[in-house]
Amino acid sequence: MTDAICYCDGVLHIDKVPVSEIAQACGTPVYIYSAAVMHARYRLLETALPEIDICYGMKACDTLAVINLFIELGAGIDVVSGGEIQRVLAARGDPRRIVFSGVGKTDEEITFALRSGVGQINAESASEVIQIARLAQAAKVRAPVALRLNPDIPAGGHQKIQTGHARAKFGMAVHEIGALYGQDIAGIDWRGLAVHIGSQIHQVAPYDKAFGVLAELITTLAHPVTHIDLGGGFAVAYRAGDPVLDLSDYRAMVARHFDPKVVRLLVEPGRFLTAPAAILVARVIHDKHTGNHRHVIIDAAMNDLLRPSLYDAFHNIIPIQETHAPASPADIVGPICETGDTFTRDHTLPSLEPGALVAICDVGAYGAVMASNYNARPRAPQVLVDGTRFRVIRPRESFADMIRGETDALSHQ
Ligand code: LLP
């Protein structure tokens, strides 16, 4: 828990607002974000890394109000699709502050990026550079291109979120970049290099190794490198005491490899900025005992928060009403028809009446954005708390929203 998300008079509050009040007004399940926490996380990073530009990795949470909050704080935005570019523009972002990464950009997406005037396209293969050159010439513009290095360094909190090892689909090998970077290709303006080795990384060492490979590569290139994108990946503590990245060590390590007076540096953190800023509030449907097992069944499910099912990720779960009643272990589960629809196992909680509220913590990154309509469940609303006020920044989906555009084939025969 953070200062902005804590118990006050026995009830969980976000900033100055009791969570129960929002659940009453908006129903459950509901995602609730703290503007104060997102501000604090951004300021923390900005202060810790003064020589490095911050580009928010919006894949962590792409709700317009959240993107706009970081834009207002001065962030650029890291995107990975045409849809994300559209979201940044809808959130009144400056296209020149967009960095467009991604291993398989379509012609439509690249053309849209070029016409929108995005600041940098990170290309991940020689064939993508040819594709970008063709589209830039057709659009009669020049494309600002960086090449993404695959340094062959394994790093990241789970095998599914490691991106920098040789077997991963991302980036290009050192020798491929050496052969391509700086070549005279019509439509291409070479801007620099990029690297992103994975997510939920808490040690400086893998970054050190990857940036070492990058720095070494740069010494072999004839063409100047003016921009270096160092990627994201900074870990957050999902359990009290989980190790996190030491930002001052990280800064010192970056300074050993690159001189910010010679090259513009940027990072692309997503999780670091948003994970601790949100909770998912759910209502208990049953506190059920089967044989020796206790299952607390709540009205949120894996369609609302996929991380525990997909990565065995841990998220703390706490009651909204503070209690000192005796607690016992329970599996906290959703109503979806899969055993994988489990948030945590053997989690110690007091007995909960149907209707009691619980909060799943640290869900601001890769939470709402990975939600689906599985089991025909509408996606939960999202609420932003700012001081004493809250507003719905994305309403709950209705049944009509869920079936929009679908047809019943029989009625069209
Ligand atoms: N830049 C690039 C090119 C990326 O692919 C990513 C994340 C980031 C930046 C931001 O990484 P972060 O700072 O958030 O670690 N769904 C997974 C995480 C997937 C990360 C994908 N790429 C999860 O829930 O853990």
Side-chain angles (χ1 to χ4, degrees), residues 29-289:
V30 54
Y31 273 93
I32 311 177
Y33 299 79
S34 159
V37 174
M38 289 188 276
H39 281 133
R41 299 294 286 179
Y42 188 82
R43 296 290 180 221
L44 178 63
L45 206 57
E46 196 180 44
T47 313
L49 307 176
E51 306 85 2
I52 305 182
D53 290 345
I54 301 173
C55 255
Y56 166 51
M58 65 168 281
K59 59 184 73 64
C61 177
D62 68 8
T63 316
L64 295 188
V66 171
I67 303 171
N68 182 258
L69 180 146
F70 289 114
I71 289 169
E72 294 284 312
L73 286 171
I77 307 287
D78 157 55
V79 306
V80 286
S81 70
E84 287 196 345
I85 298 173
Q86 282 183 287
R87 279 190 168 268
V88 178
L89 300 180
R92 302 191 299 281
D94 178 352
R96 291 168 304 180
R97 301 286 314 282
I98 294 178
V99 174
F100 185 14
S101 308
V103 70
K105 307 176 191 77
T106 64
D107 282 7
E108 292 71 23
E109 289 177 314
I110 291 170
T111 299
F112 180 60
L114 292 170
R115 289 195 192 285
S116 306
V118 306
Q120 178 170 316
I121 302 181
N122 290 348
E124 307 218 9
S125 60
S127 74
E128 189 186 344
V129 172
I130 294 166
Q131 178 193 22
I132 295 170
R134 169 174 53 82
L135 297 167
Q137 289 174 78
K140 299 193 171 30
V141 294
R142 298 189 64 79
V145 171
L147 293 181
R148 177 171 174 177
L149 169 71
N150 181 325
D152 192 14
I153 308 288
H158 184 278
Q159 167 241 327
K160 288 186 182 154
I161 55 177
Q162 302 189 339
T163 51
H165 54 88
R167 186 72 207 269
K169 65 183 171 182
F170 299 98
M172 304 167 67
V174 168
H175 67 274
E176 292 166 330
I177 293 185
L180 182 62
Y181 187 78
Q183 269 190 32
D184 191 7
I185 303 175
I188 301 290
D189 279 340
W190 294 107
R191 242 175 99 89
L193 300 177
V195 64
H196 169 79
I197 54 175
S199 195
Q200 186 64 2
I201 302 168
H202 63 85
Q203 314 98 321
V204 172
Y207 286 113
D208 192 9
K209 283 191 199 146
F211 299 168
V213 175
L214 193 60
E216 172 73 29
L217 166 62
I218 290 171
T219 63
T220 68
L221 301 174
H223 195 83
V225 168
T226 53
H227 293 74
I228 299 180
D229 174 349
L230 301 171
F234 307 162
V236 302
Y238 286 104
R239 295 177 201 264
D242 271 358
V244 293
L245 190 70
D246 183 317
L247 290 172
S248 70
D249 286 356
Y250 176 89
R251 178 188 179 198
M253 176 274 295
V254 170
R256 282 198 296 277
H257 292 297
F258 310 110
D259 180 353
K261 290 195 280 308
V262 177
V263 74
R264 276 289 281 279
L265 298 172
L266 76 83
V267 283
E268 305 172 335
R271 188 190 310 272
F272 180 92
L273 294 174
T274 58
I279 56 175
L280 172 61
V281 176
R283 226 173 251 289
V284 172
I285 303 178
H286 300 293
D287 191 344
K288 166 182 162 175
H289 292 260

Side-chain angles (χ1 to χ4, degrees), residues 300-306 309 334 336 338 340-343 370 374:
M302 64 191 281
N303 76 297
D304 300 300
L305 177 68
L306 190 58
S309 307
I336 281 183
E338 290 201 27
D341 184 22
T342 297
F343 290 109
M370 290 173 71
Y374 188 37

